[in-house]
Amino acid sequence: MFKKLALCTLLTCSTVALAQQSETINTIDAGKVTAQGKPVTLLGKGVKVGDAAPDFRTVNAQFEPRSLNDYQGKAVLLSVVPSLDTGVCSIQTKHFNEKVASEFPQVAMLTVSTDLPFAQKRYCAAEGIDKLDTLSDAVWRDFGEQYGLLIKDMGLLSRAVLVLDKDHKVIYKQLVSDLSKEPNYDHAIRALNSL
C-alpha cells in the first residue's frame, strides 16, 4: 500500500515538475552530444570546470531527499547515466562501484539517473552495487536542470562524469559525446588522484 501511494505521489510530482520545467537551453554544452547519430538538445544551466557545483534536489531509494549539501566536506564523483537498466549505463555503474570506489573511500560516489527509486533499488540489489549512492532525478528533474544535462524530449540525463573537490568546486567534467559510449574512466581516475 505504501509503495503504491509513494509511486502515485512520485508520478504526480514528476508530471508537475515536467510541466513546470524550463526550456532553458544549455548553451555551454550545445552541440556536444548525440544519440543514434543525431544531436540532442540539453536543457538547464550547465556547468564548467572551475565553477562552484550547484546544489540539487534528488531522492534516494527510500524516497528521502538528497542534495549536494548532504556531502559537505567530501569530494564527490558524479556518475550520470540515462538509465541503469541499459547495457552501457550498467557497465559504467559497475565500473565505478567495483574498480574505483574502493580506491577512493574518502570520495562520495554518486550515480544519478532519472530511473524511479524502486528501479534503482532493484538494480543495485540484483547487481551487487554497494559502494555507490544512487540518486533519482525522476521527481523534480532538478539535478538535470542545475547541471544542464536533461535531454529535451527524452526526459533522460545525458551521460557524464564530474569530479568535485571537497569544497564542491568542479575540477573535472566529461560530457560523453555519444550516449551509447562509455566515459573515459582513466581521465576520471586521474582527476580523482589529483584531489
Side-chain angles (χ1 to χ4, degrees), residues 59-61 77-98 109-138 155-160 179 182-183 185:
V59 292
N60 66 12
L77 177 129
L78 293 165
S79 174
V80 186
V81 298
S83 176
L84 291 171
D85 279 330
T86 61
V88 177
C89 298
S90 182
I91 290 168
Q92 179 177 335
T93 302
K94 288 178 186 177
H95 186 88
F96 283 115
N97 185 71
E98 295 165 8
M109 299 273 172
L110 312 178
T111 291
V112 185
S113 74
T114 52
D115 294 304
L116 292 172
F118 300 123
Q120 290 181 335
K121 188 174 185 177
R122 184 191 71 245
Y123 169 83
C124 290
E127 299 297 336
I129 304 299
D130 57 357
K131 297 175 186 74
L132 303 174
D133 288 344
T134 54
L135 302 177
S136 174
D137 200 29
L156 300 173
L157 298 174
S158 189
R159 188 178 314 285
L179 285 182
E182 293 175 64
Y185 302 112

Side-chain angles (χ1 to χ4, degrees), residues 173-191:
K173 176 183 174 183
Q174 179 184 164
L175 183 63
V176 181
S177 61
D178 183 334
L179 285 182
S180 67
K181 304 290 184 199
E182 293 175 64
N184 186 317
Y185 302 112
D186 292 337
H187 289 177
I189 290 169
R190 215 172 293 144

Side-chain angles (χ1 to χ4, degrees), residues 46-63:
V47 296
K48 302 182 299 288
V49 170
D51 287 352
D55 198 14
F56 54 79
R57 290 185 312 153
T58 60
V59 292
N60 66 12
Q62 290 74 40
F63 282 91

